[in-house]
Amino acid sequence: MNVKTQNLIPGCILAEDVYKRSNTPLLRKKTVLTEEHLRMLVVFLIERVKVEPILVNGEVFKPGEGISLELEEKESDLKQDIPEKEDTFIDYYLRAVQQFKRLFNDWKGGVKVDAFAVRNVFLPLYEQSPTKSDLMQLHHYSTKQDYIYFHSVAVSVFSALLGKRLGLKNGEVIQLGIAGLLADCGMAKLPFNAFERKSTLTSEQYEEVKKHPIIGYRMLEDTQGLTKNALVGILQHHEREDGSGYPLKEKGSKLHKYAKVIAIADVFHAMTSERYYRSKQSPYKVIDSLKVDQFGKLDHSLLNHLIQMTVDLSIGRKVRLNNGMIGEVLYQNYQHPTRPILKLIDEGEILLDLLKHPEIVIEEELLDFHREEEINV
């Protein structure tokens, strides 16, 4: 959807990178526009940008005259011939976030958790089949203001998909996905909003936050529709293999499979997502970090499942690196899947073995790659 800058609103999602006389994008594709972004577009005299037809809150974007006249005429002429757009996985995800937000705010107000209502949020997502690309882009949609809601739904998605990979039965996968969705429900009962802080928590606040798995367990223990496995998964999702987690410092064989799965999903999405006090990170960089920094803390067989579920750097794929260069995958490194050998585009025949250059990481896969000079504004 090609829209005039003056008709954009906060919550619009960029469908393409935005350039202004530079090979480096002014704003990246999938950026959720804020008031600050809108001011930036005006300052840089960007007249039009392409955005997704749906806002980050799941609602359809209706820009009015913002749609280009050419597109408007085509839509008018071909209206009878164009089939109605099917909802994508991302559409379902964004709707689920808004539904979960309403439930979470009800819990803040003292309403008891209704497992049936929670199940209705999760099941439409359970019925979807997201691509690897969908999963690797999920963090882009998370906003600082509504992080907890995006995070909870994303954890649910990753947990359920990991459960499927482990061969769990459908009923178990559903319970695991719902447990992932409710893992942070105890946050609704904290005496302060941990996610609205624009700086890191104080030690006293962090101790309060560490109580949320127990609070969540107590909120849910008498709720019909949740299995004991789901409850234990919620209680233990911040425990670690070496006993360094919380709230009970359980470790190893005492940790339930559901808890180990939710822990992987929780850490992965949290580290990739933007927060008030931390910028979002490349999923490829986060995977590298988890393999090293979380060694002995997370179940690495499950981490390998997550990598296989998300990373697709097959030969010929185009990627953008953190130094701004574009590369094409020439050789896959199966031992280190985020570290292939690349041919650098527009750099002659230069090859780059990412395994030998730990300071260089993949920022994103380029699904619709064009040479920069062809798309500069």
Side-chain angles (χ1 to χ4, degrees):
M1 182 181 291
N2 191 357
V3 178
K4 290 182 181 178
T5 301
Q6 67 199 52
N7 291 319
L8 296 170
I9 62 174
C12 286
I13 304 166
L14 286 180
E16 289 185 0
D17 292 342
V18 177
Y19 291 86
K20 185 66 175 181
R21 299 192 185 93
S22 170
N23 285 338
T24 301
L26 182 65
L27 290 172
R28 296 282 191 195
K29 181 177 68 174
K30 301 301 181 186
T31 296
V32 178
L33 297 180
T34 63
E35 292 284 4
E36 183 179 351
H37 292 137
L38 298 182
R39 286 193 293 271
M40 182 189 302
L41 292 172
V42 172
V43 168
F44 281 88
L45 304 178
I46 305 297
E47 295 182 357
R48 291 180 179 275
V49 298
K50 288 189 177 180
V51 296
E52 302 287 351
I54 192 167
L55 298 169
V56 74
N57 64 7
E59 296 177 359
V60 174
F61 178 42
K62 299 178 180 179
E65 65 178 10
I67 302 176
S68 67
L69 292 176
E70 180 183 358
L71 180 59
E72 211 167 32
E73 290 170 2
K74 287 181 180 178
E75 287 183 345
S76 177
D77 292 341
L78 303 176
K79 190 172 183 181
Q80 300 302 320
D81 301 324
I82 298 176
E84 195 171 317
K85 172 184 170 290
E86 290 187 11
D87 286 344
T88 66
F89 167 75
I90 296 299
D91 294 331
Y92 281 97
Y93 172 68
L94 295 177
R95 279 199 294 270
V97 169
Q98 296 307 310
Q99 292 166 350
F100 182 77
K101 179 178 181 178
R102 289 191 286 271
L103 293 179
F104 193 92
N105 286 322
D106 284 345
W107 304 334
K108 279 184 177 181
V111 175
K112 289 186 177 181
V113 177
D114 179 349
F116 180 76
V118 175
R119 190 182 181 94
N120 283 342
V121 173
F122 171 72
L123 283 182
L125 284 170
Y126 170 73
E127 294 167 356
Q128 300 304 303
S129 299
T131 64
K132 290 184 177 184
S133 175
D134 287 334
L135 298 178
M136 290 298 261
Q137 295 186 55
L138 211 55
H139 67 295
H140 286 307
Y141 298 93
S142 181
T143 63
K144 291 180 285 190
Q145 297 82 0
D146 285 347
Y147 164 77
I148 183 62
Y149 318 120
F150 284 94
H151 178 64
S152 297
V153 178
V155 170
S156 173
V157 168
F158 284 114
S159 296
L161 291 173
L162 282 168
K164 288 181 180 179
R165 286 190 65 90
L166 294 176
L168 299 183
K169 297 177 181 178
N170 287 345
E172 294 177 297
V173 173
I174 291 172
Q175 284 292 315
L176 176 55
I178 291 174
L181 187 60
L182 292 172
D184 285 338
C185 71
M187 291 286 194
K189 299 299 183 181
L190 292 182
F192 64 98
N193 190 328
F195 301 103
E196 287 185 352
R197 288 187 55 81
K198 298 185 179 180
S199 60
T200 54
L201 299 172
T202 65
S203 57
E204 292 81 9
Q205 288 171 329
Y206 183 54
E207 289 303 313
E208 286 294 320
V209 167
K210 287 165 66 175
K211 297 175 183 177
H212 80 268
I214 292 177
I215 296 172
Y217 181 88
R218 289 174 177 165
M219 286 171 63
L220 301 168
E221 60 184 337
D222 295 326
T223 301
Q224 293 186 348
L226 291 175
T227 64
K228 185 67 175 178
N229 290 340
L231 290 173
V232 174
I234 291 166
L235 177 65
Q236 293 185 340
H237 76 280
H238 278 292
E239 303 287 3
R240 295 295 179 258
E241 297 287 330
D242 62 357
S244 63
Y246 62 85
L248 303 176
K249 296 193 176 297
E250 300 283 13
K251 62 180 178 180
S253 60
K254 291 188 177 181
L255 300 184
H256 194 279
K257 182 186 296 181
Y258 284 17
K260 295 184 179 189
V261 169
I262 297 170
I264 293 280
D266 177 70
V267 172
F268 177 68
H269 186 262
M271 289 182 66
T272 57
S273 299
E274 186 174 28
R275 312 277 281 278
Y276 275 113
Y277 55 87
R278 185 175 65 203
S279 300
K280 60 185 175 183
Q281 298 185 64
S282 156
Y284 301 96
K285 180 180 179 180
V286 168
I287 286 171
D288 285 346
S289 176
L290 292 179
K291 292 183 70 174
V292 176
D293 299 338
Q294 295 294 319
F295 186 80
K297 296 179 181 294
L298 298 174
D299 186 320
H300 273 245
S301 67
L302 290 176
L303 179 56
N304 287 333
H305 276 296
L306 176 74
I307 294 170
Q308 294 165 21
M309 191 174 85
T310 55
V311 175
D312 182 12
L313 294 175
S314 52
I315 293 172
R317 294 280 184 178
K318 307 295 191 304
V319 296
R320 191 196 308 276
L321 305 176
N322 62 334
N323 60 9
M325 291 183 175
I326 306 297
E328 177 182 340
V329 177
L330 282 186
Y331 177 78
Q332 293 175 279
N333 188 330
Y334 292 103
Q335 295 297 317
H336 303 276
T338 61
R339 299 263 137 197
I341 294 177
L342 305 174
K343 179 178 73 174
L344 298 180
I345 296 176
D346 294 335
E347 300 292 330
E349 295 298 315
I350 295 178
L351 302 185
L352 178 66
D353 185 349
L354 290 183
L355 193 59
K356 297 179 180 178
H357 295 273
E359 76 283 2
I360 301 177
V361 297
I362 295 172
E363 283 289 336
E364 61 179 339
E365 181 188 349
L366 300 177
L367 298 176
D368 49 357
F369 172 73
H370 301 280
R371 293 179 183 275
E372 308 290 12
E373 63 268 27
E374 294 175 350
I375 56 177
N376 282 348
V377 174

